[in-house]
Amino acid sequence: MWYVLNLQNGVGAVTIGDWTAFPDLGTPDTDPYSKARVAREGILTLGRAEGLAFVAENDSSGAELRSGCSYTVQGTVPPSRFWTIHAADESMNVINGLKQRAPALHSYEMLREQDNSVSIAVSRTPAPGNWLAMDGTGKMFLILTLYDTTIASSTGVADVKLPRIIKVGCNA
């Protein structure tokens, strides 16, 4: 039972590229394992009309995300009124990169390409453009939360495209 509750791609999960979400979380249709995970971890879930959170634990090559590495999150984000992205440690606590910078980025501050896509550097060292500062050691997760999005209430969640997570390099 413990193993099933710790899976990021368990019962009720929808995986899109590098990202996994539980669209039924916070609804009456939630499976028993997801209900147990929410109860155990004390998660405050979003209702279907409020939004949808996607979690990534691997990059586009399938390698585990590590806080000692640098990544580029690149691509389009599905339509939503507002979205955020942040890094989290194994306990799903937000990783604070620098005290002078917010631990998350949001859609209102994004520099965008001409095709409306974004490119976000996730690293310990400053990067031009959109930079998500992070720190720490070990395994990490990226969490992309879409608020007030139509995909949360549609049945076509699996047809959505999400940004890719590309490893740039790792500190020795």
Side-chain angles (χ1 to χ4, degrees), residues 2-50:
W2 188 262
Y3 175 76
V4 173
L5 294 182
N6 286 331
L7 288 176
Q8 286 301 320
N9 57 355
V11 177
V14 173
T15 300
I16 304 168
D18 308 328
W19 306 89
T20 301
F22 291 84
D24 291 334
L25 206 61
T27 72
D29 300 329
T30 305
D31 64 90
Y33 295 106
S34 295
K35 286 180 184 178
R37 182 189 312 194
V38 167
R40 182 188 71 189
E41 297 176 9
I43 299 170
L44 181 60
T45 61
L46 295 171
R48 199 172 262 158
E50 296 168 320

mmCIF file of all heavy atoms in Angstrom, residues 2-50:
data_model
loop_
_atom_site.group_PDB
_atom_site.id
_atom_site.type_symbol
_atom_site.label_atom_id
_atom_site.label_comp_id
_atom_site.label_asym_id
_atom_site.label_seq_id
_atom_site.Cartn_x
_atom_site.Cartn_y
_atom_site.Cartn_z
ATOM 1 N N TRP A 2 1.938 1.298 0.838
ATOM 2 C CA TRP A 2 2.819 2.460 0.913
ATOM 3 C C TRP A 2 3.428 2.757 -0.448
ATOM 4 O O TRP A 2 3.517 3.905 -0.861
ATOM 5 C CB TRP A 2 3.912 2.203 1.957
ATOM 6 C CG TRP A 2 4.744 3.415 2.225
ATOM 7 C CD1 TRP A 2 5.960 3.703 1.695
ATOM 8 C CD2 TRP A 2 4.414 4.519 3.050
ATOM 9 N NE1 TRP A 2 6.423 4.910 2.149
ATOM 10 C CE2 TRP A 2 5.481 5.441 2.985
ATOM 11 C CE3 TRP A 2 3.313 4.832 3.849
ATOM 12 C CZ2 TRP A 2 5.481 6.630 3.683
ATOM 13 C CZ3 TRP A 2 3.323 6.022 4.541
ATOM 14 C CH2 TRP A 2 4.388 6.900 4.446
ATOM 15 N N TYR A 3 3.852 1.715 -1.157
ATOM 16 C CA TYR A 3 4.465 1.865 -2.480
ATOM 17 C C TYR A 3 3.488 2.540 -3.443
ATOM 18 O O TYR A 3 3.856 3.475 -4.153
ATOM 19 C CB TYR A 3 4.893 0.497 -3.011
ATOM 20 C CG TYR A 3 5.428 0.546 -4.426
ATOM 21 C CD1 TYR A 3 6.708 1.037 -4.688
ATOM 22 C CD2 TYR A 3 4.654 0.123 -5.496
ATOM 23 C CE1 TYR A 3 7.201 1.103 -5.979
ATOM 24 C CE2 TYR A 3 5.131 0.190 -6.795
ATOM 25 C CZ TYR A 3 6.407 0.681 -7.023
ATOM 26 O OH TYR A 3 6.875 0.748 -8.307
ATOM 27 N N VAL A 4 2.264 2.096 -3.471
ATOM 28 C CA VAL A 4 1.260 2.650 -4.385
ATOM 29 C C VAL A 4 0.985 4.113 -4.060
ATOM 30 O O VAL A 4 0.828 4.939 -4.955
ATOM 31 C CB VAL A 4 -0.047 1.821 -4.328
ATOM 32 C CG1 VAL A 4 -1.150 2.482 -5.130
ATOM 33 C CG2 VAL A 4 0.196 0.420 -4.833
ATOM 34 N N LEU A 5 0.972 4.466 -2.792
ATOM 35 C CA LEU A 5 0.697 5.848 -2.402
ATOM 36 C C LEU A 5 1.837 6.791 -2.765
ATOM 37 O O LEU A 5 1.627 7.985 -2.913
ATOM 38 C CB LEU A 5 0.409 5.937 -0.900
ATOM 39 C CG LEU A 5 -0.861 5.244 -0.424
ATOM 40 C CD1 LEU A 5 -1.035 5.466 1.071
ATOM 41 C CD2 LEU A 5 -2.080 5.717 -1.179
ATOM 42 N N ASN A 6 3.042 6.271 -2.919
ATOM 43 C CA ASN A 6 4.185 7.117 -3.262
ATOM 44 C C ASN A 6 4.415 7.257 -4.759
ATOM 45 O O ASN A 6 5.267 8.025 -5.176
ATOM 46 C CB ASN A 6 5.458 6.586 -2.593
ATOM 47 C CG ASN A 6 5.463 6.880 -1.113
ATOM 48 O OD1 ASN A 6 4.886 7.856 -0.664
ATOM 49 N ND2 ASN A 6 6.093 6.015 -0.349
ATOM 50 N N LEU A 7 3.702 6.520 -5.574
ATOM 51 C CA LEU A 7 3.874 6.604 -7.025
ATOM 52 C C LEU A 7 3.347 7.920 -7.560
ATOM 53 O O LEU A 7 2.261 8.357 -7.205
ATOM 54 C CB LEU A 7 3.118 5.470 -7.731
ATOM 55 C CG LEU A 7 3.677 4.065 -7.615
ATOM 56 C CD1 LEU A 7 2.724 3.081 -8.290
ATOM 57 C CD2 LEU A 7 5.048 3.986 -8.248
ATOM 58 N N GLN A 8 4.138 8.570 -8.436
ATOM 59 C CA GLN A 8 3.668 9.783 -9.104
ATOM 60 C C GLN A 8 2.837 9.442 -10.339
ATOM 61 O O GLN A 8 2.187 10.307 -10.897
ATOM 62 C CB GLN A 8 4.859 10.659 -9.506
ATOM 63 C CG GLN A 8 5.485 11.363 -8.348
ATOM 64 C CD GLN A 8 4.525 12.272 -7.613
ATOM 65 O OE1 GLN A 8 3.700 12.958 -8.208
ATOM 66 N NE2 GLN A 8 4.602 12.261 -6.309
ATOM 67 N N ASN A 9 2.875 8.188 -10.761
ATOM 68 C CA ASN A 9 2.105 7.789 -11.944
ATOM 69 C C ASN A 9 1.186 6.620 -11.610
ATOM 70 O O ASN A 9 1.051 5.701 -12.378
ATOM 71 C CB ASN A 9 3.045 7.442 -13.096
ATOM 72 C CG ASN A 9 4.023 6.340 -12.719
ATOM 73 O OD1 ASN A 9 4.061 5.893 -11.586
ATOM 74 N ND2 ASN A 9 4.809 5.899 -13.667
ATOM 75 N N GLY A 10 0.554 6.674 -10.465
ATOM 76 C CA GLY A 10 -0.281 5.581 -9.982
ATOM 77 C C GLY A 10 -1.681 5.585 -10.572
ATOM 78 O O GLY A 10 -1.949 6.163 -11.633
ATOM 79 N N VAL A 11 -2.585 4.961 -9.860
ATOM 80 C CA VAL A 11 -3.981 4.828 -10.269
ATOM 81 C C VAL A 11 -4.590 6.218 -10.463
ATOM 82 O O VAL A 11 -4.414 7.106 -9.640
ATOM 83 C CB VAL A 11 -4.777 4.053 -9.190
ATOM 84 C CG1 VAL A 11 -6.241 3.964 -9.557
ATOM 85 C CG2 VAL A 11 -4.180 2.673 -8.988
ATOM 86 N N GLY A 12 -5.279 6.417 -11.570
ATOM 87 C CA GLY A 12 -5.941 7.684 -11.858
ATOM 88 C C GLY A 12 -5.048 8.737 -12.492
ATOM 89 O O GLY A 12 -5.487 9.850 -12.750
ATOM 90 N N ALA A 13 -3.789 8.400 -12.745
ATOM 91 C CA ALA A 13 -2.849 9.375 -13.309
ATOM 92 C C ALA A 13 -2.995 9.481 -14.817
ATOM 93 O O ALA A 13 -3.304 8.509 -15.494
ATOM 94 C CB ALA A 13 -1.418 8.977 -12.961
ATOM 95 N N VAL A 14 -2.757 10.677 -15.309
ATOM 96 C CA VAL A 14 -2.688 10.931 -16.748
ATOM 97 C C VAL A 14 -1.301 11.499 -17.011
ATOM 98 O O VAL A 14 -0.921 12.512 -16.424
ATOM 99 C CB VAL A 14 -3.765 11.936 -17.199
ATOM 100 C CG1 VAL A 14 -3.566 12.318 -18.655
ATOM 101 C CG2 VAL A 14 -5.150 11.384 -16.980
ATOM 102 N N THR A 15 -0.524 10.833 -17.858
ATOM 103 C CA THR A 15 0.825 11.286 -18.171
ATOM 104 C C THR A 15 0.861 11.890 -19.568
ATOM 105 O O THR A 15 0.383 11.284 -20.524
ATOM 106 C CB THR A 15 1.830 10.117 -18.065
ATOM 107 O OG1 THR A 15 1.787 9.614 -16.731
ATOM 108 C CG2 THR A 15 3.236 10.563 -18.382
ATOM 109 N N ILE A 16 1.434 13.088 -19.637
ATOM 110 C CA ILE A 16 1.572 13.807 -20.899
ATOM 111 C C ILE A 16 3.034 14.205 -21.020
ATOM 112 O O ILE A 16 3.496 15.094 -20.301
ATOM 113 C CB ILE A 16 0.672 15.059 -20.940
ATOM 114 C CG1 ILE A 16 -0.783 14.678 -20.694
ATOM 115 C CG2 ILE A 16 0.845 15.796 -22.256
ATOM 116 C CD1 ILE A 16 -1.686 15.860 -20.438
ATOM 117 N N GLY A 17 3.772 13.519 -21.869
ATOM 118 C CA GLY A 17 5.198 13.801 -22.013
ATOM 119 C C GLY A 17 5.918 13.557 -20.704
ATOM 120 O O GLY A 17 5.880 12.466 -20.145
ATOM 121 N N ASP A 18 6.548 14.600 -20.166
ATOM 122 C CA ASP A 18 7.319 14.504 -18.931
ATOM 123 C C ASP A 18 6.460 14.720 -17.683
ATOM 124 O O ASP A 18 6.950 14.589 -16.572
ATOM 125 C CB ASP A 18 8.435 15.562 -18.932
ATOM 126 C CG ASP A 18 9.289 15.511 -20.190
ATOM 127 O OD1 ASP A 18 9.470 14.415 -20.745
ATOM 128 O OD2 ASP A 18 9.762 16.578 -20.626
ATOM 129 N N TRP A 19 5.209 15.067 -17.849
ATOM 130 C CA TRP A 19 4.352 15.519 -16.759
ATOM 131 C C TRP A 19 3.236 14.523 -16.439
ATOM 132 O O TRP A 19 2.696 13.893 -17.336
ATOM 133 C CB TRP A 19 3.731 16.857 -17.127
ATOM 134 C CG TRP A 19 4.726 17.897 -17.516
ATOM 135 C CD1 TRP A 19 5.221 18.135 -18.766
ATOM 136 C CD2 TRP A 19 5.366 18.839 -16.661
ATOM 137 N NE1 TRP A 19 6.121 19.164 -18.736
ATOM 138 C CE2 TRP A 19 6.229 19.616 -17.452
ATOM 139 C CE3 TRP A 19 5.278 19.110 -15.293
ATOM 140 C CZ2 TRP A 19 6.998 20.647 -16.931
ATOM 141 C CZ3 TRP A 19 6.052 20.134 -14.773
ATOM 142 C CH2 TRP A 19 6.895 20.892 -15.590
ATOM 143 N N THR A 20 2.858 14.459 -15.157
ATOM 144 C CA THR A 20 1.772 13.589 -14.714
ATOM 145 C C THR A 20 0.796 14.394 -13.866
ATOM 146 O O THR A 20 1.207 15.207 -13.033
ATOM 147 C CB THR A 20 2.323 12.413 -13.876
ATOM 148 O OG1 THR A 20 3.237 11.672 -14.679
ATOM 149 C CG2 THR A 20 1.214 11.486 -13.428
ATOM 150 N N ALA A 21 -0.490 14.155 -14.064
ATOM 151 C CA ALA A 21 -1.534 14.823 -13.280
ATOM 152 C C ALA A 21 -2.582 13.806 -12.868
ATOM 153 O O ALA A 21 -2.686 12.719 -13.453
ATOM 154 C CB ALA A 21 -2.186 15.935 -14.094
ATOM 155 N N PHE A 22 -3.332 14.156 -11.869
ATOM 156 C CA PHE A 22 -4.462 13.356 -11.404
ATOM 157 C C PHE A 22 -5.716 14.211 -11.575
ATOM 158 O O PHE A 22 -6.108 14.921 -10.660
ATOM 159 C CB PHE A 22 -4.273 12.953 -9.936
ATOM 160 C CG PHE A 22 -3.163 11.960 -9.726
ATOM 161 C CD1 PHE A 22 -1.851 12.378 -9.595
ATOM 162 C CD2 PHE A 22 -3.441 10.609 -9.661
ATOM 163 C CE1 PHE A 22 -0.824 11.471 -9.405
ATOM 164 C CE2 PHE A 22 -2.420 9.678 -9.473
ATOM 165 C CZ PHE A 22 -1.115 10.116 -9.349
ATOM 166 N N PRO A 23 -6.338 14.167 -12.762
ATOM 167 C CA PRO A 23 -7.461 15.064 -13.051
ATOM 168 C C PRO A 23 -8.675 14.883 -12.127
ATOM 169 O O PRO A 23 -9.421 15.827 -11.924
ATOM 170 C CB PRO A 23 -7.859 14.725 -14.492
ATOM 171 C CG PRO A 23 -6.777 13.892 -15.030
ATOM 172 C CD PRO A 23 -5.992 13.345 -13.905
ATOM 173 N N ASP A 24 -8.850 13.697 -11.571
ATOM 174 C CA ASP A 24 -10.009 13.468 -10.707
ATOM 175 C C ASP A 24 -9.758 13.825 -9.252
ATOM 176 O O ASP A 24 -10.668 13.750 -8.432
ATOM 177 C CB ASP A 24 -10.460 11.997 -10.805
ATOM 178 C CG ASP A 24 -11.056 11.678 -12.159
ATOM 179 O OD1 ASP A 24 -11.577 12.601 -12.817
ATOM 180 O OD2 ASP A 24 -10.995 10.506 -12.568
ATOM 181 N N LEU A 25 -8.533 14.201 -8.908
ATOM 182 C CA LEU A 25 -8.205 14.566 -7.538
ATOM 183 C C LEU A 25 -9.072 15.749 -7.119
ATOM 184 O O LEU A 25 -9.198 16.723 -7.838
ATOM 185 C CB LEU A 25 -6.726 14.938 -7.447
ATOM 186 C CG LEU A 25 -6.047 14.762 -6.108
ATOM 187 C CD1 LEU A 25 -6.082 13.300 -5.680
ATOM 188 C CD2 LEU A 25 -4.611 15.225 -6.186
ATOM 189 N N GLY A 26 -9.677 15.664 -5.961
ATOM 190 C CA GLY A 26 -10.533 16.739 -5.476
ATOM 191 C C GLY A 26 -11.956 16.665 -5.995
ATOM 192 O O GLY A 26 -12.736 17.592 -5.791
ATOM 193 N N THR A 27 -12.296 15.580 -6.669
ATOM 194 C CA THR A 27 -13.662 15.391 -7.172
ATOM 195 C C THR A 27 -14.259 14.140 -6.533
ATOM 196 O O THR A 27 -13.534 13.312 -5.968
ATOM 197 C CB THR A 27 -13.677 15.215 -8.702
ATOM 198 O OG1 THR A 27 -13.140 13.929 -9.027
ATOM 199 C CG2 THR A 27 -12.886 16.301 -9.404
ATOM 200 N N PRO A 28 -15.557 13.959 -6.654
ATOM 201 C CA PRO A 28 -16.167 12.730 -6.121
ATOM 202 C C PRO A 28 -15.685 11.462 -6.844
ATOM 203 O O PRO A 28 -15.819 10.363 -6.319
ATOM 204 C CB PRO A 28 -17.662 12.943 -6.372
ATOM 205 C CG PRO A 28 -17.834 14.414 -6.509
ATOM 206 C CD PRO A 28 -16.555 14.925 -7.094
ATOM 207 N N ASP A 29 -15.074 11.618 -8.034
ATOM 208 C CA ASP A 29 -14.603 10.466 -8.801
ATOM 209 C C ASP A 29 -13.199 10.008 -8.413
ATOM 210 O O ASP A 29 -12.650 9.097 -9.028
ATOM 211 C CB ASP A 29 -14.594 10.810 -10.301
ATOM 212 C CG ASP A 29 -15.972 11.182 -10.812
ATOM 213 O OD1 ASP A 29 -16.956 10.646 -10.281
ATOM 214 O OD2 ASP A 29 -16.050 12.012 -11.725
ATOM 215 N N THR A 30 -12.601 10.625 -7.407
ATOM 216 C CA THR A 30 -11.238 10.276 -6.996
ATOM 217 C C THR A 30 -11.157 8.820 -6.564
ATOM 218 O O THR A 30 -12.014 8.333 -5.830
ATOM 219 C CB THR A 30 -10.783 11.181 -5.830
ATOM 220 O OG1 THR A 30 -10.917 12.537 -6.223
ATOM 221 C CG2 THR A 30 -9.347 10.904 -5.446
ATOM 222 N N ASP A 31 -10.104 8.123 -7.019
ATOM 223 C CA ASP A 31 -9.917 6.721 -6.645
ATOM 224 C C ASP A 31 -9.477 6.623 -5.179
ATOM 225 O O ASP A 31 -8.973 7.591 -4.612
ATOM 226 C CB ASP A 31 -8.874 6.069 -7.569
ATOM 227 C CG ASP A 31 -7.515 6.686 -7.412
ATOM 228 O OD1 ASP A 31 -6.749 6.201 -6.559
ATOM 229 O OD2 ASP A 31 -7.219 7.670 -8.125
ATOM 230 N N PRO A 32 -9.661 5.464 -4.541
ATOM 231 C CA PRO A 32 -9.323 5.310 -3.121
ATOM 232 C C PRO A 32 -7.849 5.568 -2.801
ATOM 233 O O PRO A 32 -7.523 6.083 -1.735
ATOM 234 C CB PRO A 32 -9.679 3.854 -2.815
ATOM 235 C CG PRO A 32 -10.588 3.423 -3.909
ATOM 236 C CD PRO A 32 -10.287 4.273 -5.094
ATOM 237 N N TYR A 33 -6.925 5.214 -3.708
ATOM 238 C CA TYR A 33 -5.509 5.434 -3.454
ATOM 239 C C TYR A 33 -5.179 6.928 -3.421
ATOM 240 O O TYR A 33 -4.404 7.383 -2.593
ATOM 241 C CB TYR A 33 -4.649 4.725 -4.506
ATOM 242 C CG TYR A 33 -4.781 3.230 -4.443
ATOM 243 C CD1 TYR A 33 -5.510 2.533 -5.396
ATOM 244 C CD2 TYR A 33 -4.193 2.505 -3.409
ATOM 245 C CE1 TYR A 33 -5.641 1.158 -5.333
ATOM 246 C CE2 TYR A 33 -4.319 1.131 -3.333
ATOM 247 C CZ TYR A 33 -5.050 0.465 -4.295
ATOM 248 O OH TYR A 33 -5.177 -0.898 -4.215
ATOM 249 N N SER A 34 -5.771 7.666 -4.328
ATOM 250 C CA SER A 34 -5.539 9.116 -4.337
ATOM 251 C C SER A 34 -6.143 9.766 -3.102
ATOM 252 O O SER A 34 -5.557 10.684 -2.521
ATOM 253 C CB SER A 34 -6.127 9.741 -5.604
ATOM 254 O OG SER A 34 -5.446 9.266 -6.747
ATOM 255 N N LYS A 35 -7.308 9.301 -2.674
ATOM 256 C CA LYS A 35 -7.909 9.829 -1.443
ATOM 257 C C LYS A 35 -6.999 9.565 -0.255
ATOM 258 O O LYS A 35 -6.820 10.426 0.612
ATOM 259 C CB LYS A 35 -9.281 9.190 -1.207
ATOM 260 C CG LYS A 35 -10.357 9.695 -2.128
ATOM 261 C CD LYS A 35 -11.681 9.017 -1.833
ATOM 262 C CE LYS A 35 -12.743 9.446 -2.824
ATOM 263 N NZ LYS A 35 -14.033 8.780 -2.595
ATOM 264 N N ALA A 36 -6.405 8.367 -0.205
ATOM 265 C CA ALA A 36 -5.494 8.023 0.892
ATOM 266 C C ALA A 36 -4.248 8.901 0.860
ATOM 267 O O ALA A 36 -3.766 9.346 1.907
ATOM 268 C CB ALA A 36 -5.117 6.544 0.819
ATOM 269 N N ARG A 37 -3.714 9.166 -0.336
ATOM 270 C CA ARG A 37 -2.528 10.020 -0.457
ATOM 271 C C ARG A 37 -2.845 11.431 0.012
ATOM 272 O O ARG A 37 -2.058 12.046 0.736
ATOM 273 C CB ARG A 37 -2.045 10.061 -1.903
ATOM 274 C CG ARG A 37 -0.788 10.890 -2.073
ATOM 275 C CD ARG A 37 -0.404 11.122 -3.493
ATOM 276 N NE ARG A 37 -0.423 9.910 -4.275
ATOM 277 C CZ ARG A 37 0.116 9.784 -5.449
ATOM 278 N NH1 ARG A 37 0.731 10.800 -5.996
ATOM 279 N NH2 ARG A 37 0.046 8.669 -6.123
ATOM 280 N N VAL A 38 -3.987 11.969 -0.389
ATOM 281 C CA VAL A 38 -4.394 13.309 0.022
ATOM 282 C C VAL A 38 -4.529 13.376 1.541
ATOM 283 O O VAL A 38 -4.059 14.316 2.189
ATOM 284 C CB VAL A 38 -5.713 13.709 -0.680
ATOM 285 C CG1 VAL A 38 -6.318 14.950 -0.038
ATOM 286 C CG2 VAL A 38 -5.473 13.943 -2.159
ATOM 287 N N ALA A 39 -5.147 12.356 2.137
ATOM 288 C CA ALA A 39 -5.331 12.329 3.590
ATOM 289 C C ALA A 39 -3.993 12.212 4.309
ATOM 290 O O ALA A 39 -3.742 12.907 5.299
ATOM 291 C CB ALA A 39 -6.240 11.166 3.973
ATOM 292 N N ARG A 40 -3.102 11.345 3.819
ATOM 293 C CA ARG A 40 -1.812 11.132 4.470
ATOM 294 C C ARG A 40 -0.931 12.376 4.415
ATOM 295 O O ARG A 40 -0.281 12.746 5.379
ATOM 296 C CB ARG A 40 -1.073 9.969 3.813
ATOM 297 C CG ARG A 40 0.275 9.661 4.490
ATOM 298 C CD ARG A 40 1.075 8.664 3.738
ATOM 299 N NE ARG A 40 1.561 9.293 2.513
ATOM 300 C CZ ARG A 40 2.154 8.660 1.539
ATOM 301 N NH1 ARG A 40 2.331 7.366 1.604
ATOM 302 N NH2 ARG A 40 2.566 9.283 0.464
ATOM 303 N N GLU A 41 -0.904 13.053 3.257
ATOM 304 C CA GLU A 41 -0.008 14.184 3.060
ATOM 305 C C GLU A 41 -0.640 15.526 3.385
ATOM 306 O O GLU A 41 0.036 16.549 3.386
ATOM 307 C CB GLU A 41 0.529 14.179 1.627
ATOM 308 C CG GLU A 41 1.362 12.944 1.341
ATOM 309 C CD GLU A 41 1.827 12.869 -0.097
ATOM 310 O OE1 GLU A 41 1.653 13.848 -0.844
ATOM 311 O OE2 GLU A 41 2.371 11.814 -0.468
ATOM 312 N N GLY A 42 -1.944 15.540 3.633
ATOM 313 C CA GLY A 42 -2.623 16.792 3.945
ATOM 314 C C GLY A 42 -2.639 17.766 2.780
ATOM 315 O O GLY A 42 -2.518 18.968 2.961
ATOM 316 N N ILE A 43 -2.790 17.242 1.573
ATOM 317 C CA ILE A 43 -2.770 18.061 0.361
ATOM 318 C C ILE A 43 -4.084 18.828 0.226
ATOM 319 O O ILE A 43 -5.163 18.278 0.436
ATOM 320 C CB ILE A 43 -2.584 17.171 -0.890
ATOM 321 C CG1 ILE A 43 -1.262 16.422 -0.815
ATOM 322 C CG2 ILE A 43 -2.650 17.992 -2.163
ATOM 323 C CD1 ILE A 43 -1.133 15.351 -1.886
ATOM 324 N N LEU A 44 -3.982 20.081 -0.130
ATOM 325 C CA LEU A 44 -5.159 20.873 -0.468
ATOM 326 C C LEU A 44 -5.330 20.768 -1.982
ATOM 327 O O LEU A 44 -4.512 21.284 -2.746
ATOM 328 C CB LEU A 44 -4.974 22.331 -0.049
ATOM 329 C CG LEU A 44 -6.143 23.263 -0.330
ATOM 330 C CD1 LEU A 44 -7.395 22.789 0.416
ATOM 331 C CD2 LEU A 44 -5.794 24.673 0.060
ATOM 332 N N THR A 45 -6.346 20.053 -2.414
ATOM 333 C CA THR A 45 -6.525 19.800 -3.847
ATOM 334 C C THR A 45 -7.336 20.906 -4.515
ATOM 335 O O THR A 45 -8.110 21.608 -3.868
ATOM 336 C CB THR A 45 -7.244 18.454 -4.071
ATOM 337 O OG1 THR A 45 -8.531 18.507 -3.455
ATOM 338 C CG2 THR A 45 -6.443 17.314 -3.486
ATOM 339 N N LEU A 46 -7.141 21.013 -5.815
ATOM 340 C CA LEU A 46 -7.932 21.930 -6.626
ATOM 341 C C LEU A 46 -9.121 21.170 -7.189
ATOM 342 O O LEU A 46 -8.976 20.028 -7.629
ATOM 343 C CB LEU A 46 -7.102 22.471 -7.794
ATOM 344 C CG LEU A 46 -5.906 23.344 -7.441
ATOM 345 C CD1 LEU A 46 -5.075 23.619 -8.683
ATOM 346 C CD2 LEU A 46 -6.361 24.632 -6.811
ATOM 347 N N GLY A 47 -10.280 21.789 -7.196
ATOM 348 C CA GLY A 47 -11.437 21.185 -7.844
ATOM 349 C C GLY A 47 -11.269 21.260 -9.345
ATOM 350 O O GLY A 47 -10.442 22.012 -9.865
ATOM 351 N N ARG A 48 -12.055 20.477 -10.043
ATOM 352 C CA ARG A 48 -11.930 20.408 -11.504
ATOM 353 C C ARG A 48 -12.077 21.778 -12.159
ATOM 354 O O ARG A 48 -11.381 22.088 -13.121
ATOM 355 C CB ARG A 48 -12.976 19.434 -12.044
ATOM 356 C CG ARG A 48 -12.654 18.959 -13.412
ATOM 357 C CD ARG A 48 -13.567 17.865 -13.859
ATOM 358 N NE ARG A 48 -12.884 16.597 -13.635
ATOM 359 C CZ ARG A 48 -13.492 15.439 -13.522
ATOM 360 N NH1 ARG A 48 -14.789 15.372 -13.574
ATOM 361 N NH2 ARG A 48 -12.811 14.351 -13.336
ATOM 362 N N ALA A 49 -12.940 22.630 -11.639
ATOM 363 C CA ALA A 49 -13.147 23.954 -12.226
ATOM 364 C C ALA A 49 -12.054 24.941 -11.807
ATOM 365 O O ALA A 49 -11.920 26.000 -12.397
ATOM 366 C CB ALA A 49 -14.510 24.496 -11.819
ATOM 367 N N GLU A 50 -11.268 24.591 -10.780
ATOM 368 C CA GLU A 50 -10.248 25.509 -10.283
ATOM 369 C C GLU A 50 -8.913 25.374 -11.003
ATOM 370 O O GLU A 50 -8.206 26.357 -11.190
ATOM 371 C CB GLU A 50 -10.039 25.284 -8.790
ATOM 372 C CG GLU A 50 -11.286 25.614 -7.994
ATOM 373 C CD GLU A 50 -11.190 25.126 -6.572
ATOM 374 O OE1 GLU A 50 -10.674 24.018 -6.334
ATOM 375 O OE2 GLU A 50 -11.650 25.868 -5.693
#
